[in-house]
Each structure stands twice: as structure tokens, then as C-alpha cells.
Amino acid sequence: MKRFFLLLTVFIALCGFGAKTVSAQGCAFPTGSLGINLGLGLGTSDYGGYHYNGHYHDGHFLVPTFNAAVDYAFLGNIINSHGSISGGGYFGIGSGSEKWDGHKNRDNRFRIGTRGALHYTWVSNLDTYAGVGLGFRQDRYKTKYSNGDSHDWGSYPEFDCYGFAGVRYIMGNFAFYSELQTTNFSFFQIGISFVL
């Protein structure tokens, strides 16, 4: 819930910042536009706490991710011709590890699904958007202990549902984007985007 309020606050701040300079050109992501995001993200592991030889270990650590998303604007000319609605899909993979007391934890993960977003142009060439993603994700954990033993386990595929808000600065067919999400798979992303 805290991440949702953080996303909402950032989105409102972007809205307030750009409200004075709404472009007369209309929506930066109009009907028929196809956006392809490729970026690096940062999330945290779901390990949770556990005991080993009488010692408690938290088990949460940072997990870098590679993320891709495709958005297609299928409904435009909304909200005074400055907005559009898109649908598409997403894919992500990641791997991260930590060392503690001579042991090593690793988290390998992936996710795939569909997403939809509302886009609005506050400033010329600046596409701000917010939406929801739905799909599946899976983490595979491995612990290698200092004595050479290892424990390999994973989670069953889980339902993946999260909110996101982002901004994309479009320069012709090329753009830079940044996105915040309400999931620990990749709560922050930054990368490039191609807008066709």
C-alpha cells in the first residue's frame, strides 16, 4: 500500500509540474502508436527470514532485472484530445545474490503478462502514463552453505498483479523512459523506448 501511495504522489507531482505547459499538439502517444520499452530495473528478493545453525537471517536482498514491455494505443482523443488508452504485454527476467556468514543466496526470477495504461500529455513530447499489469511470475531460490551443501527450491508460478506509473520523453521514434511499480519484482525501471 505504501508503494501505491508513492506512485500516486509521483504521478500527481508530474501532473502539477506539467499542468501549466500542456501542448497544443495533443497526445504524445496517439491512437495507433506502438511503444516498445527495454530497460533495467531493481527489485528485492522474497526469501524471507529463516534460521541456520541457530542464526536468524533476514534473506531480503536487491535483485537486478531486465524488463521489456509493448504498449499499443487503441483508443485516443480522450480527455480533451490529450489522452489515450493502451494495451500490451510485458516480460522480465532477473537474478541477484547475497553472501552472509560464508553462505550464498541466489534468486533467479521471471514474469510474463499483459498490461493496460492511461496516457496523458501534459508537456509536448512527454508521455505520462499509469496502469495495471496482470500475469504470472516465478522465483527460483538457491542457497549454497559454507560447508559445500546447497539447497535448491522454487516457488510455484504465482499470479502477478501490480500498478505502475511512468514517463516517456519522446524524440521522434526514440524515447527515454522511467517507471515505478508496486511490485518487488522491479519497483524501479529506467531505459530506452522505441515509438512507432
Side-chain angles (χ1 to χ4, degrees):
M1 191 58 106
K2 289 180 183 177
R3 288 185 185 159
F4 173 75
F5 286 117
L6 175 65
L7 282 174
L8 186 61
T9 302
V10 169
F11 189 68
I12 290 171
L14 287 172
C15 294
F17 171 74
K20 295 184 285 186
T21 56
V22 173
S23 168
Q25 299 173 0
C27 186
F29 198 69
T31 304
S33 296
L34 179 69
I36 303 169
N37 291 351
L38 301 172
L40 299 176
L42 194 59
T44 57
S45 172
D46 280 336
Y47 253 94
Y50 57 91
H51 290 270
Y52 180 76
N53 286 344
H55 299 294
Y56 177 79
H57 181 67
D58 184 353
H60 295 288
F61 53 90
L62 294 177
V63 179
T65 59
F66 170 77
N67 302 276
V70 176
D71 299 307
Y72 178 75
F74 61 86
L75 179 62
N77 294 322
I78 61 173
I79 314 175
N80 296 325
S81 298
H82 290 284
S84 65
I85 295 177
S86 70
Y90 67 89
F91 172 77
I93 56 173
S95 183
S97 64
E98 69 160 354
K99 291 184 178 178
W100 57 281
D101 293 339
H103 315 299
K104 184 176 182 179
N105 293 333
R106 176 166 290 283
D107 182 355
N108 296 314
R109 56 178 46 173
F110 81 92
R111 69 177 179 174
I112 190 167
T114 185
R115 70 187 212 161
L118 170 65
H119 300 256
Y120 193 81
T121 302
W122 299 96
V123 179
S124 181
N125 299 327
L126 189 66
D127 174 29
T128 56
Y129 57 93
V132 175
L134 301 170
F136 294 95
R137 68 176 278 184
Q138 185 171 21
D139 290 78
R140 182 150 189 91
Y141 308 113
K142 183 172 186 177
T143 300
K144 187 171 184 180
Y145 300 106
S146 57
N147 63 7
D149 292 342
S150 63
H151 189 173
D152 197 3
W153 70 92
S155 66
Y156 293 105
E158 300 174 354
F159 181 63
D160 190 30
C161 178
Y162 63 92
F164 62 92
V167 60
R168 186 182 315 172
Y169 185 72
I170 301 172
M171 300 169 289
N173 290 337
F174 182 77
F176 292 101
Y177 86 96
S178 180
E179 202 168 285
L180 296 174
Q181 299 183 352
T182 60
T183 175
N184 70 337
F185 188 97
S186 180
F187 53 80
F188 173 75
Q189 292 180 28
I190 191 166
I192 61 173
S193 186
F194 300 96
V195 182
L196 310 172

